[in-house]
Every structure is written in C-alpha cells, then in structure tokens.
Amino acid sequence: MPTGDDDMQWLHKDLLDVSQLSTREVASLFETARYFREINSRSVKKVPTLRGKSVVLFFAEPSTRTKTSFDVAGKRLSADTFSLSATGSSLKKGETLKDTALTLQAMSPDAIVIRHSSSGAAQFLAERLDCCVINAGDGRHAHPTQALLDAFTLSEAWGGFKGRTLLILGDVAHSRVARSNVILLDRLGVKVRLCGPRTLMPSGVETWPVGVHRDLDQAVRGVDAVMCLRLQLERQQAGLLPDLREYARLFGLGRRHLDRAAKGAFVMHPGPINRGVEIDSDLADSPESLILEQVAGGLAVRMALLFLFLSRKTNE
Amino acid sequence: MSGCQLAVRGATLPDGRGKGRRVDLLVARGKVLELAPAAGKTPAGEAEEIDASGLVLLPSLTDAHTHLREPGYEYKEDIASGLSAAAHGGFGNVMCMANTNPVNDSASVTELMLDRAKDSWPRGPRLFPIGALTRGLAGRELAPMAELAEAGCVAFSNDGVPVSSSEVMRRAMEYASDLGRRVIDHCEDPSMNPASGVNDGVLSGRLGLDGQPDVAETIQAARDVLLAEYLDLPVHLAHVSCRRTVELIAWAKSRGVRVTAETCPHYLLLTEERAAGFDSLAKVNPPLRTRDDVLALRQAVREGVVDILVTDHAPHADCEKEVEFDAAPCGVCGLDTALALTWTLVREGELTAGDLVRLWAEAPCGLFDLPLNRFRPGDPADFVLFDPGRSWLVCPDSLHSKAANTPFLGRTLEGRVRAHFLGGRKIV
C-alpha cells in the first residue's frame, strides 16, 4: 500500500481547502491516486483498505457527480458510506447546522464529507467535530477535491506543471472551483489567467496571483489549457449579465479560440456543462477535452484522500 | 465644608494632553461641591472618604446608540441586563434604539422601556429611548414623533432598517425638527448587499462572501447631508465605518452643513481580516473595513470630524451567532468593553484622555441634551473611578450583558471601572 513519501505522515484532521496542503503533500496524494486509478481498471474494483470505516456524505446542496464520486470512492475501498441530503434532512425542518453535525457525530463516523451552500460551512463543522471533515464545496469559498482532481488531470495530461499556463474562463466570482484552483495551481507553478466580464470577477482579484483579461481572444493566446466554469442562470436575474446569448458570444469557448492557444492545449470543465453557453458543444466532445478524464481522475483522487485521511490515525 | 457627603481623594483627572492632575472631588446633595487639587486637607466633616489614588476620574459616560432588545427579544438582552452592562462599563446615560418588538413607535412602548429602567436601576444608569422615525420602521409613514417625544424619546431613528425613500427621509427630518429632536440615520444603500456583515473587498473575494461595499454607506450619507443642507436642518449619521464617509462629512462640515456623526470602538480597532476564519463574532453592520479606514476614523475622531463615540451594543444569543457565517445576525456587544477599548487607544497615543471625555461624554450630551458632569460646582455628581492598570479577560463571566457576542472575546483588556457614581450615589 502506498503511503506517499517514505516516511511522510498525513497530519491533517480535515480537508477544508487546498491552501493547507504543501506541494510535497500534493505530490504524495497524486502518487496515491495513481495507485488507486489502477484499481479502477481492474475487473474486481474493490480493495479492503478501509473496511470497517464509515463515511457520511452530508450534501446539504444538490449534487450528483461529487456525491457519486465520493460514494463510489468509499465503496471501492470497502468503507461504508451513508448519505444525507438536504431534502428530507432535519436541516429542512429548521435544525441548525451545529445540531445536525453533532447528531451525525454521535453516530461516530470516521469522516463527514460536506457540501453546503454557505461559505465557511465546512470549517464551521470541522471546528466542532472530532471526526475528519472533508469539504466537498462550501458556498463560493472552496472546493478542494475538485481543484486536486483538476490538478491531477492536468499533471497527467501535461506530464508536469513547469512553464504551463491555464486560463480559467467565466464566472470566477461565484466559483469555489476557481478559488481553489487558483490557489493550488499557482502553488504548483502554473501561470493562471482569468477571463470574464467584470461583473463576474471577485472583489480584490487584483491581489490574486493571476492575470485578468476581459477579451477572450487575448486571454486564450498561448495557454496550455482552458478551464470553463459553469454559468448559473441566476446571474442574469441578479443583474450581472444581460442574457446568455451575449455571454456566449463574448465568453463562450469555441474552436476558433482554441486555435489561438498553444499547440495541443486542453479543454476542461468541472460539470455539469451548459452546452452552447460557456463552451461549444463540439468542443466538449473533442479530443482536446479532458472532461471525462476529470471525472475518472476525480474518483482516484477522492479514493486517495479518503485513504490518507482515514488511515491517518493508524499511521501515527 | 458644610453638607459634604462624599470626598473622593487623590484621583487623577485627565486634562487634555498631559498626564492629568491629582484632585479631590467633594460631593454634596448629589452635586459636585468642589474639585480641588489633591491636598488631603480639604475638611470634609462627616463625609464618606474614598481613597482614589491610582484611579482615573472620568465623568460618567454617555452611549447614544445601543440595542437593549426589550420589549420582544429578552432572550438576547433586557433593559435590566443592558443597564447592568452600562453601569459596569461606565455609562450613566444610555440611548436605546427602536428596533424592538413591538417597535418603539408608540408612547406605550417608550413608557414600558422607561418603567423597566426605573424598576431595575432606580438610581441609574438613565435610559433615554430613541423613537422610531417611521411607523414600524417600515420607511413609509412617519411615526407619531410628538407623542414619542412627550413620552420621553430624545431622538428619532430608523436604525437597523435604512430609509430608502429620500422623500420620506426629508419629511421625517422636517417633522422631527419641529420637535427639536435630532434624526439619527443608519446609512446604508439597501440595494447593495445590505446587512451582509462583511466588507466588499479582498477578504470577501477570497472567502466567497457577499460583501457590502463602503460606498453603500457613503451614498446614503451623501443623500442625508445634501438633504440637511437643502433643508438647513441637522442630521446625525450613525456608526460611520469608512474613509469615504469621513471625507464626505468633512466636506459637508466645511460647507456649513449641520451634520454630526458617530463611530464605534470596533471600527477604530479592527479590520475586515478579523472575519477571516468565518468568525460570526466579527459580523457586524456596517462591516469592519480596511486598515486605511481604521486610520481615517482615528484621525476623524481626534479632529472632531466624527463627533462622538457610541457602542452600537447589539447583543445576540450564542445559538444565533453559532451558525454558518451568512446565516448569523449582524451585531457586536459593546457596553462592557467600550471604555477599556478606548483606553487602549489612549495608551497607544492615538487619542488623549481629553479626547475620550469629549467623545464619550461632552459631545454626546451636547448633541442630545443629556445631563453632563464637567466637574464644576453644581454639576451632577456622575462620575467613574477607572483603574487603568487592571487587566481582565473578556469572557461570558466577566461581561454583564446577557450576551457575549464581541469580537474581543478571549482578549485580555487593560482598564476597568472600579466604581461608578450617579447623583453622588454609588451604583456599582
């Protein structure tokens, strides 16, 4: 069984954001993920590594892919996974997040994977619970497992990060995916550019380690990959953009843009995709698209994370 | 000296910039009889003697902006507990806002507040309710301000719920002026992320929170000062939090506009970074801003551009604050900690002790026509003996408010009220 570096200990109780991870820990995580990816290609896709461990999937916001990914990751490692969703949960009946969390903890899970619409909700839980808390997306704040799987996918596709440039395109202001990716990829040595209308750029972006572009034709020039972000339809109602047609015309990624990028540049999307809005439908299905690799890599990365966090105590 | 009931010996009276001078304070029939250089010789006859050496003598302070939550939200605070925090915090005059339930928009609510204060703290602190500016704080119809003034309201405000209609604001200012009462406006453009409790800027962008931009305050403040100029009427701007509004006020004052303003200790001491860990104790409206805003506000209170300090004491129950950041209510407690916090600014040389007395006593009493002790013969013997060397931990047990929602929780502060006298009688 891999343990990352020879004598590296996984010291974190929780995964709240990528900023807590050193590059060495990320490398170790990726090494572990590569090992688990191999399991996913076997005919019997299950190992007994986490037998007897239980993982609660507490998704207080709708999610299909992330929740399924964690569920499958846990099951392939023989952990027991339990789901709790917002609809039908006591949160809907007015119970506070704290009380729900304490109730869950009383059932002594080894980890709680939380998705919540409030920024900071994962940290709120982690400060109050003894078990491991893994942030599967808190409001607009952070989505560390998505960033880790994106970086893992890029590292496999590029063969390394040195000298690479990535463009993150779209609604950065409301994107936890973008926030976590900027932190992680910058730390890994990737040059990051952002492009989108000013109304969808976060306040204080000028202090981020990124280049900010308004014009997609310029932004895409020479980049090694473009990560499109999902555009939520509420942004139009909130008065942040006039309509989807104009948005797609100015900031939808098409073949003509990719032709300006570096040779062999890739296209990514955290899903679910609005085909024809943030990305041309054809491009999503093109050979340059890493979208399905992201999903497969996500499973391996989440297996690696569950393994590192849940076997932490026995390592000590 | 005949009739002297109380002699306070050897206290240090701050005098502007210097170290202060040691004095003896003699009290008779609830009033200042004489303030004399400390000699220990002034004959006091039968008077009670208090050795106040090492203590600072301050006039009892005035807090022109609090939320005491009664009636309606007694689980957060009630008038008895709020006045307890005031008494122990050095405040003899306390003005309380109208956003209770029911709203203080009728004489019966005002009278209930005053009765509660009299019953719980008969010797003071004195409560001075602020009446609602509009009925139900809804921002549409004027509250019955004459009725409220007769019942004892000393000012009018829609605090907590900004008045979006400029027409309503204009008429409210006009109507209040007939009654000789000042309007206190909570300045916040209600269309720009109202009550988000965190500043729009580097921190909110990083944390993924909806921030309220400082211009949301300044835009509304600009409307108010322009109305004040147009109508030639006074207006008082509540809890100013940013440089932009300070500069607007300076501009308005230079034009002769009758605008006054307040800010709070937390805006002089904390920046938006205090909320960095999603700590809802730092969630307050208006939000904590940047270092630059803190510096501008410090200068503004020194120079009198911002006229007074207030606490904006806004107690909440623990269970209300212990939720996700965006679900938590805005507000911080202040009555227990305000004097010690302001004293840290005096110790650091940011303010003088004279500034402190001006900002917490002389100026607010002047603005709202409240009793003030200037230590002249005949003044009410309302004073505080403050121990600047006494350090204490801010924790639920050391606070007299029911609530402990202060961003200074867990901090050790230096300086605490040793004794507080109103009308010559010790209240704590």
Side-chain angles (χ1 to χ4, degrees):
Chain A
M1 194 59 50
T3 55
D5 280 20
D6 313 315
D7 54 356
M8 197 170 99
Q9 291 217 350
W10 196 258
L11 296 172
H12 306 282
K13 172 173 111 56
D14 311 296
L15 179 65
L16 301 181
D17 199 2
V18 287
S19 50
Q20 72 186 68
L21 300 178
S22 68
T23 50
R24 192 159 161 254
E25 287 170 324
V26 172
S28 161
L29 172 74
F30 287 180
E31 188 191 324
T32 312
R34 275 182 212 107
Y35 174 84
F36 285 125
R37 187 175 53 186
E38 187 270 321
I39 291 173
N40 291 325
S41 62
R42 293 182 194 167
S43 60
V44 175
K45 301 177 181 60
K46 190 157 181 162
V47 290
T49 316
L50 294 181
R51 195 163 54 199
K53 301 283 185 185
S54 51
V55 178
V56 172
L57 306 176
F58 175 28
F59 278 64
E61 196 185 56
S63 158
T64 309
R65 57 188 60 223
T66 304
K67 189 174 169 184
T68 308
S69 179
F70 268 108
D71 198 12
V72 173
K75 289 192 162 102
R76 294 228 165 129
L77 296 173
S78 299
D80 297 311
T81 60
F82 304 89
S83 281
L84 185 83
S85 58
T87 45
S89 86
S90 27
L91 277 181
K92 274 271 180 307
K93 297 173 190 163
E95 187 175 71
T96 64
L97 181 58
K98 185 189 169 192
D99 287 332
T100 305
L102 293 176
T103 304
L104 291 174
Q105 168 155 287
M107 299 173 194
S108 42
D110 297 286
I112 293 181
V113 178
I114 179 180
R115 159 72 59 91
H116 197 283
S117 59
S118 291
S119 298
Q123 181 174 339
F124 179 88
L125 232 61
E127 283 167 0
R128 284 159 183 83
L129 299 185
D130 302 326
C131 71
C132 161
V133 172
I134 293 179
N135 185 2
D138 63 324
R140 304 166 184 175
H141 171 235
H143 197 347
T145 65
Q146 178 73 41
L148 287 165
L149 78 84
D150 288 338
F152 179 71
T153 307
L154 282 171
S155 108
E156 298 296 289
W158 282 342
F161 297 110
K162 226 185 170 75
R164 298 294 187 172
T165 302
L166 173 93
L167 170 65
I168 300 179
L169 174 62
D171 184 4
V172 177
H174 300 90
S175 175
R176 54 191 169 218
V177 174
R179 279 187 179 75
S180 287
N181 262 306
V182 167
I183 296 169
L184 181 62
L185 293 170
D186 173 63
R187 186 162 292 183
L188 294 173
V190 178
K191 282 209 182 80
V192 181
R193 294 181 194 167
L194 305 179
C195 180
R198 172 133 181 202
T199 50
L200 297 180
M201 285 295 134
S203 296
V205 71
E206 66 281 359
T207 64
W208 293 20
V210 297
V212 181
H213 297 259
R214 303 273 169 249
D215 181 78
L216 179 53
D217 286 333
Q218 285 181 10
V220 80
R221 193 166 291 156
V223 302
D224 299 293
V226 181
M227 180 184 294
C228 300
L229 300 174
R230 179 177 168 79
L231 184 79
Q232 302 286 350
L233 305 183
E234 302 99 85
R235 307 301 168 229
Q236 183 180 335
Q237 288 136 32
L240 297 174
L241 36 102
D243 58 35
L244 295 186
R245 195 165 152 270
E246 177 152 311
Y247 180 82
R249 195 166 61 76
L250 295 176
F251 300 104
L253 189 74
R255 171 61 61 188
R256 69 181 182 90
H257 300 113
L258 209 60
D259 290 344
R260 294 169 163 262
K263 201 169 172 340
F266 295 105
V267 177
M268 307 174 80
H269 195 299
I273 307 173
N274 292 309
R275 286 178 183 261
V277 180
E278 63 260 6
I279 185 170
D280 271 7
S281 190
D282 292 350
L283 210 52
D285 304 324
S286 69
E288 292 92 339
S289 168
L290 291 177
I291 294 172
L292 296 177
E293 279 82 352
Q294 289 173 273
V295 177
L299 183 57
V301 164
R302 289 182 177 116
M303 287 170 78
L305 284 166
L306 287 177
F307 168 73
L308 289 169
F309 278 93
L310 292 185
S311 51
R312 181 177 71 103
K313 276 181 187 142
T314 54
N315 281 353
E316 276 165 8
Chain B
M1 209 166 284
S2 66
C4 178
Q5 66 185 80
L6 177 68
V8 178
R9 303 286 187 191
T12 303
L13 186 77
D15 57 350
R17 246 152 228 294
K19 288 226 173 255
R21 56 196 169 99
R22 296 196 66 203
V23 295
D24 289 345
L25 172 68
L26 304 183
V27 174
R29 285 180 295 279
K31 308 233 184 266
V32 172
L33 187 64
E34 190 188 350
L35 186 75
K41 287 187 207 142
T42 322
E46 298 296 296
E48 182 192 346
E49 295 272 335
I50 292 176
D51 177 9
S53 48
L55 302 180
V56 175
L57 177 63
L58 298 169
S60 187
L61 310 178
T62 290
D63 189 351
H65 190 149
T66 69
H67 301 268
L68 299 189
R69 305 302 190 202
E70 186 174 4
Y73 306 103
E74 291 83 354
Y75 66 95
K76 298 174 193 258
E77 187 85 289
D78 56 30
I79 285 172
S81 62
L83 291 184
S84 174
H88 290 88
F91 293 95
N93 299 324
V94 177
M95 291 166 60
C96 62
M97 284 294 175
N99 60 340
T100 48
N101 185 16
V103 166
N104 184 15
D105 60 3
S106 70
S108 56
V109 176
T110 308
E111 284 158 8
L112 175 135
M113 290 174 164
L114 292 170
D115 287 349
R116 288 280 192 274
K118 272 251 149 32
D119 292 346
S120 56
W121 290 86
R123 298 177 177 186
R126 295 170 289 251
L127 186 67
F128 298 97
I130 298 164
L133 192 65
T134 62
R135 206 181 286 273
L137 300 179
R140 287 188 291 272
E141 302 165 33
L142 299 184
M145 290 187 238
E147 171 188 319
L148 290 164
E150 283 157 27
C153 288
V154 295
F156 295 103
S157 180
N158 236 59
D159 189 59
V161 194
V163 178
S164 57
S165 160
S166 302
E167 173 66 10
V168 169
M169 188 65 189
R170 169 200 175 149
R171 299 307 177 194
M173 284 167 66
E174 289 176 332
Y175 199 86
S177 73
D178 284 348
L179 304 164
R181 297 293 193 276
R182 204 169 282 262
V183 169
I184 303 171
D185 197 29
H186 166 130
C187 296
E188 181 180 22
D189 183 323
S191 70
M192 301 183 89
N193 279 340
S196 75
V198 66
N199 184 42
D200 177 49
V202 173
L203 183 85
S204 68
R206 194 169 84 218
L207 296 186
L209 293 169
D210 274 326
Q212 187 231 42
D214 64 9
V215 288
E217 172 181 290
T218 316
I219 286 168
Q220 199 87 330
R223 177 198 70 179
D224 287 358
V225 300
L226 292 173
L227 276 176
E229 180 175 70
Y230 181 68
L231 303 169
D232 191 21
L233 289 175
V235 69
H236 181 76
L237 308 183
H239 43 53
V240 169
S241 68
C242 65
R243 174 181 291 277
R244 225 179 285 281
T245 308
V246 165
E247 289 176 353
L248 172 85
I249 295 165
W251 170 82
K253 285 188 169 181
S254 76
R255 287 169 67 91
V257 177
R258 293 153 71 187
V259 59
T260 54
E262 64 188 39
T263 190
C264 314
H266 44 277
Y267 301 119
L268 299 176
L269 289 161
L270 300 174
T271 67
E272 60 180 7
E273 283 297 323
R274 179 62 186 77
F278 295 101
D279 187 346
S280 65
L281 291 180
K283 184 172 176 181
V284 59
N285 188 23
L288 303 172
R289 307 282 187 193
T290 66
R291 180 83 192 140
D292 181 57
D293 296 301
V294 167
L295 295 178
L297 285 164
R298 287 181 178 187
Q299 187 181 349
V301 294
R302 270 196 303 269
E303 295 175 353
V305 172
V306 168
D307 304 78
I308 68 172
L309 286 173
V310 299
T311 63
D312 194 8
H313 180 76
H316 291 292
D318 288 350
C319 64
E320 293 176 300
K321 278 284 194 180
E322 206 181 347
V323 294
E324 309 87 291
F325 189 90
D326 56 8
C330 291
V332 303
C333 283
L335 282 166
D336 279 286
T337 51
L339 179 51
L341 290 172
T342 312
W343 197 262
T344 63
L345 292 168
V346 173
R347 192 179 295 110
E348 289 166 11
E350 290 287 327
L351 296 177
T352 66
D355 291 331
L356 184 150
V357 170
R358 170 174 54 84
L359 293 160
W360 279 120
E362 293 163 3
C365 289
L367 279 185
F368 299 104
D369 198 21
L370 306 182
L372 169 66
N373 177 15
R374 294 177 187 273
F375 295 108
R376 293 182 305 211
D379 281 351
D382 302 342
F383 61 93
V384 168
L385 293 174
F386 178 71
D387 183 349
R390 170 96 167 273
S391 65
W392 59 290
L393 177 70
V394 181
C395 63
D397 285 344
S398 65
L399 301 174
H400 295 85
S401 169
K402 277 190 190 180
N405 53 301
T406 158
F408 300 98
L409 196 70
R411 278 230 216 157
T412 298
L413 300 182
E414 250 181 273
R416 197 142 209 212
V417 171
R418 183 72 74 81
H420 187 178
F421 291 77
L422 289 176
R425 293 197 289 192
K426 192 167 186 282
I427 59 163
V428 297

